[in-house]
Every structure is written in structure tokens, then in C-alpha cells.
Amino acid sequence: MKIESAEFLTSATDLAACPRSNLPEVAFIGRSNVGKSSLVNMLTKQKGLAKVSKKPGATKMINFFTMNNWWNLVDLPGYGYAQVSKGKQSDFNEAVSEYLMGRPQLKLICALVDARAEPLELDLGFLNWLEDCPVPHVIVLTKTDEVKEDVWKRNLAIYQETLEALGLRVPEFIPCSSVERAGRGVLLQYIQSILPKRQKRGSGTGVQLNWLKKRG
Ligand SMILES: Nc1nc2c(ncn2[C@@H]2O[C@H](COP(=O)(O)OP(=O)(O)OP(=O)(O)O)[C@@H](O)[C@H]2O)c(=O)[nH]1
Ligand SMILES: [Mg+2]
């Protein structure tokens, strides 16, 4: 899928405040600092579209970006950011989990995990939680540029083994680097395969108009 346009739509604090748009949605979720917002910018080739920071906790709202005028990419606040007070952290988690569970437009969850590390309890806990979520998911390994290929490939294999051993779903894994723009094509192709087929503009009327023209 070629990205022809990408625009910020709106931000929402919780599910109730999400836009009434009927467009299908794809969401990025993962630990704070794992690289969700950077991946939004990498996919859209717009450096400053989503706010990126070295410090965790940069994204505080549910952010919607309209892609090609026909689907929304949703950048979520991260989980597991210890410096947010416990009360606030559970507010985040509640808003995010409500969104993931209760948004009919949501067609795909991209769970981002760090390619540099073996599975973290926090991420495994989230993947376990996803088992009860009706929306399909894919795992995106981020920051592959930071380690040698054999290291992230080993971590990927450990993830697969661990998920299997825990009796959890073993979804597709997509390695990515926002710095090197690696994995962009594969991820976009995967997203396209999940999105409902786009209706051709003017289909139906176009044929009839041509026919009328010919007769006239
Ligand atoms: N080397 C490298 N650094 C990356 C990559 N992706 C993100 N980063 C860096 O990781 C840090 C966090 O990136 P963000 O995109 O803000 O992470 P986030 O998951 O949106 O974080 P929160 O909004 O806090 O949940 C920034 O310093 C980015 O420059 C990558 O692919 N490679
Ligand atoms: Mg962010």
C-alpha cells in the first residue's frame, strides 16, 4: 500500500471521546518508549506528525491519523511507565484497554516490542491480556537497527517459543526500524491485507454515465 496522504485527525482521552469516524482503524500499542510514535512518522514519512521523545510517557492521548482518506492509524499512550503516578497509570491503562476492547472500527492491533531484548514480563502480560480481545494482532519488533540481525532473530525465536509454552497465540512478527525505515513495506502490506477492501470511487454511477453518454 502506498501512503498518499496522512493527516492528524484528533486526540481523545478515552473511548467516549473518540471520533465518530466510520473508517477502519489500526492501533499501535506497547511499552512506553518502545517506538510507537516513531513508527507512525516512519510509515507516513512525516518526521513531526506524531510527537516523539527520548523520555517515556510522551504520548498521553489516543491520537488518530487519517491515512489515504480511508483508514485511521491510532497512536496510543504506552504502558508500564513507572514515573506516572499509580493512579494516573491505571487511568491510562483503563482508557487504552477500553478503546482496544470497545471500538468496533478497530481491525488490527500492532503490539510493539523491543527487538533488543528477550521477552519482558510486562509485554508477555499484555499479550496474555490480548487473548481475550476480539481484535486480531500482529507483533512488531522495534529498533532492529540497534542490534545485530542475529540478536533480534534470536529474541524473535525466544518470543515465539515463550508464547507457545504459555499457550498463547503466536501471531505474525514484523521486524522494523524507524531509523533505517526497515519493515515499512511489509507492515503496510500486512495492514492492507487486514483492512476491508476499499470501494472504488464512483463505482456503479460511472458505468451508467458512460452508457448514457454513448446513447445520447
Ligand atoms: N535506534 C532507534 N531508536 C528509535 C526507533 N524508534 C524509536 N526510537 C527512539 O526511541 C525513543 C522513543 O520513541 P517514541 O516513538 O517516542 O516511543 P513511544 O513508544 O511512542 O513512547 P510513548 O509515547 O512514551 O509511549 C525516541 O528517542 C526515538 O528516537 C528505532 O527504530 N531505532
Ligand atoms: Mg508515543
Side-chain angles (χ1 to χ4, degrees), residues 75-147:
D75 185 19
L76 294 165
Y79 53 76
Y81 174 36
Q83 267 165 298
V84 174
S85 72
K86 276 274 177 268
K88 258 204 163 162
Q89 208 175 322
S90 71
D91 276 356
F92 283 168
N93 292 344
E94 219 168 278
V96 169
S97 60
E98 255 183 32
Y99 166 79
L100 293 174
M101 282 290 193
R103 183 82 169 158
Q105 296 93 319
L106 184 58
K107 301 299 175 214
L108 177 68
I109 295 170
C110 298
L112 276 63
V113 300
D114 197 324
R116 300 172 298 184
E118 290 182 16
L120 298 172
E121 224 177 287
L122 200 59
D123 291 323
L124 291 172
F126 176 70
L127 292 168
N128 185 30
W129 179 88
L130 267 186
E131 289 289 299
D132 294 327
C133 186
V135 183
H137 69 273
V138 62
I139 296 182
V140 175
L141 287 179
T142 64
K143 309 191 184 183
T144 53
D145 61 283
E146 291 263 9
V147 284

Side-chain angles (χ1 to χ4, degrees), residues 142-185:
T142 64
K143 309 191 184 183
T144 53
D145 61 283
E146 291 263 9
V147 284
K148 290 205 173 107
E149 191 171 325
D150 59 336
V151 174
W152 66 253
K153 281 194 169 162
R154 188 177 141 268
N155 290 336
L156 192 161
I158 298 175
Y159 253 105
Q160 288 170 325
E161 284 160 21
T162 311
L163 291 176
E164 211 169 305
L166 291 170
L168 303 180
R169 260 180 290 171
V170 184
E172 185 120 1
F173 281 71
I174 302 179
C176 280
S177 161
S178 294
V179 169
E180 294 178 342
R181 272 207 193 149
R184 186 175 181 276

Side-chain angles (χ1 to χ4, degrees), residues 31-38 40 50-53 55 57-61 63 75-78:
R31 218 163 24 87
S32 276
N33 213 242
V34 74
K36 300 174 292 297
S37 303
S38 303
V40 169
K51 186 188 168 195
V52 167
S53 168
K55 288 189 194 158
T59 308
K60 295 188 171 57
M61 311 259 274
N63 294 303
D75 185 19
L76 294 165

Side-chain angles (χ1 to χ4, degrees), residues 13-39:
T13 45
D14 55 19
L15 180 62
C18 285
R20 280 163 185 259
S21 165
N22 283 327
L23 297 179
E25 285 168 10
V26 174
F28 286 173
I29 176 72
R31 218 163 24 87
S32 276
N33 213 242
V34 74
K36 300 174 292 297
S37 303
S38 303
L39 195 58

